[in-house]
Amino acid sequence: MPNEIIDGKRIAQLIKDEVREHSAALRARRDVVPGLAFMLVGENPASQSYVASKERACEYCGFHSTTLRLPLETSEAEVLGRIDTWNIDPDIHGILVQLPLPKHIDEDRVIEAISPRKDVDGFHPINVGKLVIGQECFLPCTPAGIQELLIRSNVATAGKHVVVVGRSNIVGKPIANILLQKAVGANAVVTVTHSAAPDIAVYTRQADILIVATGRVNTVTADMVKEGVVVIDVGINRIEDADTAKGYRIVGDVDYEGVRQKSSLITPVPGGVGPMTIAMLMKNTYQSALRSATQR
Ligand code: NDP
């Protein structure tokens, strides 16, 4: 069985190049520069590094970006007030509040304060609802990136059995809903399994396409998949490794070396799903800017 790799880094770069080209055309044609506003509350190092990567991607794509860095003790009212200002700013087409927020701020309230028309993360309940009923909306970036990986790797999904392991609101549930739609690049038969299942292997062994998002190393091993399966490993886990300069390395949720002996296609970690999230954020922001330009 040829076990090829889905190169997420390469596909993400292609998408950013396309967005960069379209964004230049939008600027030339309509004098509109896509604008993305970031809010970072507190000094969580991982959040700082994510926002820095997103800022770099904005620069690459020719977007305008602004980052509001607020201290940890910022009140919820202040956060909501800043979002209101961005909601009515015509130069801002996307608003991204980096999660997690400090405990005294209600994340749901903050997400709901973002205008659904600028919710480029696709987390607002209006966008989530539209996704479920098949209306046009912002798709959350990681699951949208997974669909894009499948499409650009010529993996047919129609009528295939997709098994999703994990039911989070940011990965498991939305990817299940995206691939369930009666639409091009979807139309799959979808099963979702999670930690309450007595034996997830009962389901994973039936998968033509297996998507794993648990945050647990080795959730899926070679004995749990069938020959020829397409595997999308969403996990990002840090494990100790004394042989590396940093003392750790990043692995996914799937036993990569074992499972790739049986898979036809598999995403590596790092370099699979990870790079797609930011690329899809850029795509969502460009689309938001395009929509606002054509509706002026
Ligand atoms: P969550 O912790 O929110 O959800 C994990 C899900 O997996 C839950 O539904 C949980 O079940 C289920 N689960 C946990 N352990 C098992 C198990 N042993 N068997 C079956 N199901 C299990 O995680 P996320 O969805 O946010 O993230 C998942 C992984 O993806 C993480 O490693 C995260 O870092 C990574 N990630 C990567 C992104 C990227 O850009 N590449 C973006 C987002 C996440 P239950 O609901 O019953 O608790």
Side-chain angles (χ1 to χ4, degrees), residues 14-294:
L14 278 175
I15 292 168
K16 282 190 284 182
D17 287 342
E18 288 164 12
V19 171
R20 181 180 152 115
E21 209 175 288
H22 292 149
S23 144
L26 183 64
R27 185 178 201 152
R29 256 193 349 260
R30 305 232 181 207
D31 198 24
V32 169
V33 178
L36 186 48
F38 300 105
M39 187 189 293
L40 190 54
V41 186
E43 290 182 359
N44 179 327
S47 295
Q48 285 177 332
S49 143
Y50 290 143
V51 169
S53 307
K54 291 167 188 173
E55 287 171 328
R56 281 196 299 277
C58 283
E59 198 177 329
Y60 183 82
C61 293
F63 292 4
H64 153 72
S65 79
T66 177
T67 304
L68 186 60
R69 292 181 168 79
L70 296 169
L72 188 70
E73 59 276 10
T74 305
S75 69
E76 185 179 290
E78 166 88 16
V79 167
L80 297 176
R82 302 288 187 140
I83 291 173
D84 278 347
T85 310
W86 284 335
N87 278 340
I88 54 170
D89 182 340
D91 294 332
I92 297 296
H93 305 102
I95 300 173
L96 190 148
V97 177
Q98 189 63 45
L99 303 177
L101 287 167
K103 286 198 170 29
H104 65 277
I105 301 176
D106 183 335
E107 277 185 7
D108 289 343
R109 204 171 290 155
V110 169
I111 290 169
E112 285 176 38
I114 297 171
S115 162
R117 301 177 65 80
K118 299 190 179 187
D119 169 41
V120 285
D121 250 345
F123 293 160
H124 192 289
I126 288 192
N127 284 316
V128 175
K130 285 185 170 183
L131 162 58
V132 173
I133 60 174
Q135 288 184 7
E136 200 187 324
C137 61
F138 288 118
L139 297 180
C141 301
T142 302
I146 295 171
Q147 186 187 37
E148 199 75 32
L149 283 179
L150 293 172
I151 292 171
R152 293 188 190 234
S153 306
N154 298 316
V155 177
T157 47
K160 300 291 181 193
H161 189 188
V162 173
V163 176
V164 179
V165 189
R167 57 175 161 184
S168 72
N169 290 338
I170 63 167
V171 188
K173 281 182 200 152
I175 191 58
N177 278 297
I178 289 171
L179 295 179
L180 185 62
Q181 297 303 319
K182 197 167 185 175
V184 175
N187 216 6
V189 176
V190 181
T191 297
V192 182
T193 184
H194 45 75
S195 73
D199 180 10
I200 61 165
V202 170
Y203 309 100
T204 58
R205 281 195 196 107
Q206 296 177 35
D208 300 312
I209 300 168
L210 179 62
I211 300 173
V212 189
T214 61
R216 306 277 186 283
V217 178
N218 289 341
T219 304
V220 172
T221 48
D223 56 311
M224 296 166 71
V225 300
K226 69 177 180 188
E227 283 287 341
V229 63
V230 173
V231 179
I232 306 289
D233 187 353
V234 188
I236 302 176
N237 306 292
R238 202 186 255 209
I239 58 165
E240 280 182 28
D241 185 346
D243 293 340
T244 64
K246 291 177 178 164
Y248 68 85
R249 67 193 161 91
I250 301 294
V251 298
D253 294 343
V254 171
D255 168 24
Y256 180 76
E257 288 309 328
V259 170
R260 73 177 286 206
Q261 304 307 319
K262 290 173 88 177
S263 62
S264 55
L265 279 172
I266 186 166
T267 55
V269 177
V273 176
M276 294 298 289
T277 302
I278 292 184
M280 299 313 287
L281 175 69
M282 298 298 112
K283 194 169 173 181
N284 278 353
T285 305
Y286 164 72
Q287 276 165 348
S288 181
L290 177 66
R291 187 166 56 199
S292 89
T294 49

